[in-house]
Amino acid sequence: MIFGSDVENKSCRSCGMTKPVSDFGMNRNEKDGLSGRCKECTNAAARQRRNRDPEKHRAAAREYYLANAEDRKAYGRNYYLGNSEKMRKAAKEWANNNPERRRELKRKSRETVFGSLNRRISAAVRRYLAPGTKAGRKWERILGYTVDDLKRHLEKKFLPGMTWENRHLWHIDHIVPLSAHYYTSPEHHDFKRAWALSNLQPLWAKDNLTKHAKLTKPFQPSLPF
């Protein structure tokens, strides 16, 4: 039903078939608020347009994406925040059903130096901050501070309600996002800046996801020459 009416079916002006209103997309220009063509006919017409001039369609798609990039990102973040549990279950199910594809994606990710460094250090930090876990030393040498130093630093910045017992509810946030830095090795100046204690803070998971990779102040990364 739509707009409180008793209408449950609608006739498609393209194929002439009477279908449930759920088979029609929204259109504010129509009196009933629904498209005059059913979704099947709308999709078929769109495919025909793409097939007639695929390059024009790709160019239009790129232009639309660039013009609406921020809106799309915001929509994606909001959708994730509202459907995070559902998405995690779907991702786990996909991984179980596509083991070969999952391994291939992980392999490609490992080939990226930046991604590999972030992953290894992030995993190490998470592991050594787990309650009762004995701290390692390798990543401590790389970063220049110990796990105890990190714990004390984070404790000083705990927000009301934060404890080590509810660690799963908050993230270790990079104040200047990792994506804003440029580095290719642990010895790189920007690597030290990215993982410096002064660039780390505890943040509730929901707030961190909302923040995403936004800069709150001007930042100049080291650039390659």
Side-chain angles (χ1 to χ4, degrees), residues 26-37:
M26 303 298 292
N27 187 335
R28 295 179 181 178
N29 295 322
E30 298 286 343
K31 291 183 178 180
D32 59 4
L34 296 174
S35 173
R37 294 191 296 187

Side-chain angles (χ1 to χ4, degrees), residues 171-205:
H171 294 171
I172 299 176
D173 170 59
H174 292 258
I175 299 172
V176 176
L178 291 176
S179 59
H181 294 82
Y182 171 83
Y183 54 80
T184 55
S185 74
E187 290 72 35
H188 197 283
H189 175 62
D190 259 16
F191 182 86
K192 303 297 185 183
R193 295 170 72 191
W195 289 93
L197 287 177
S198 59
N199 194 43
L200 302 178
Q201 66 179 353
L203 204 61
W204 292 114

Side-chain angles (χ1 to χ4, degrees), residues 103-115:
R103 281 192 287 271
E104 175 65 14
L105 292 174
K106 290 180 69 174
R107 182 187 66 77
K108 289 182 178 180
S109 177
R110 283 195 296 270
E111 291 174 353
T112 304
V113 175
F114 182 87

Side-chain angles (χ1 to χ4, degrees), residues 3-215:
F3 305 139
S5 71
D6 294 327
V7 177
E8 296 182 352
N9 300 298
K10 180 180 174 73
S11 178
C12 174
R13 66 170 60 125
S14 290
C15 64
M17 295 181 63
T18 298
K19 299 182 178 182
V21 292
S22 58
D23 285 0
F24 294 80
M26 303 298 292
N27 187 335
R28 295 179 181 178
N29 295 322
E30 298 286 343
K31 291 183 178 180
D32 59 4
L34 296 174
S35 173
R37 294 191 296 187
C38 66
K39 293 178 181 178
E40 185 176 352
C41 289
T42 299
N43 292 336
R47 284 194 296 270
Q48 290 178 358
R49 290 194 297 273
R50 289 196 296 270
N51 293 335
R52 282 198 298 268
D53 195 342
E55 184 54 39
K56 180 180 179 181
H57 172 76
R58 283 193 289 270
R62 285 194 296 270
E63 183 178 349
Y64 176 84
Y65 178 84
L66 293 174
N68 298 274
E70 288 304 317
D71 289 341
R72 291 169 64 88
K73 289 178 183 177
Y75 174 82
R77 289 194 295 271
N78 292 335
Y79 181 85
Y80 178 81
L81 291 172
N83 299 271
S84 56
E85 186 60 32
K86 178 181 178 181
M87 293 176 69
R88 279 195 290 269
K89 289 181 179 179
K92 184 177 181 180
E93 182 177 351
W94 182 90
N96 291 335
N97 294 333
N98 300 272
E100 292 297 328
R101 178 59 176 162
R102 181 190 181 194
R103 281 192 287 271
E104 175 65 14
L105 292 174
K106 290 180 69 174
R107 182 187 66 77
K108 289 182 178 180
S109 177
R110 283 195 296 270
E111 291 174 353
T112 304
V113 175
F114 182 87
S116 179
L117 287 170
N118 289 340
R119 184 174 55 257
R120 291 203 304 271
I121 298 298
S122 294
V125 170
R126 285 197 302 270
R127 183 167 65 252
Y128 295 132
L129 283 178
T133 302
K134 184 178 179 180
R137 288 294 176 266
K138 186 174 181 180
W139 75 267
E140 294 179 349
R141 289 197 301 271
I142 294 174
L143 297 183
Y145 50 81
T146 68
V147 67
D148 289 331
D149 293 332
L150 177 57
K151 284 184 175 181
R152 284 193 293 269
H153 171 76
L154 294 174
E155 286 172 355
K156 291 178 182 178
K157 292 182 173 293
F158 271 179
L159 297 174
M162 284 185 177
T163 67
W164 292 110
E165 284 66 39
N166 62 14
R167 171 70 180 86
H168 60 290
L169 298 178
W170 52 271
H171 294 171
I172 299 176
D173 170 59
H174 292 258
I175 299 172
V176 176
L178 291 176
S179 59
H181 294 82
Y182 171 83
Y183 54 80
T184 55
S185 74
E187 290 72 35
H188 197 283
H189 175 62
D190 259 16
F191 182 86
K192 303 297 185 183
R193 295 170 72 191
W195 289 93
L197 287 177
S198 59
N199 194 43
L200 302 178
Q201 66 179 353
L203 204 61
W204 292 114
K206 185 175 181 179
D207 294 332
N208 192 34
L209 291 170
T210 301
K211 175 194 171 189
H212 195 52
K214 294 179 181 177
L215 281 169

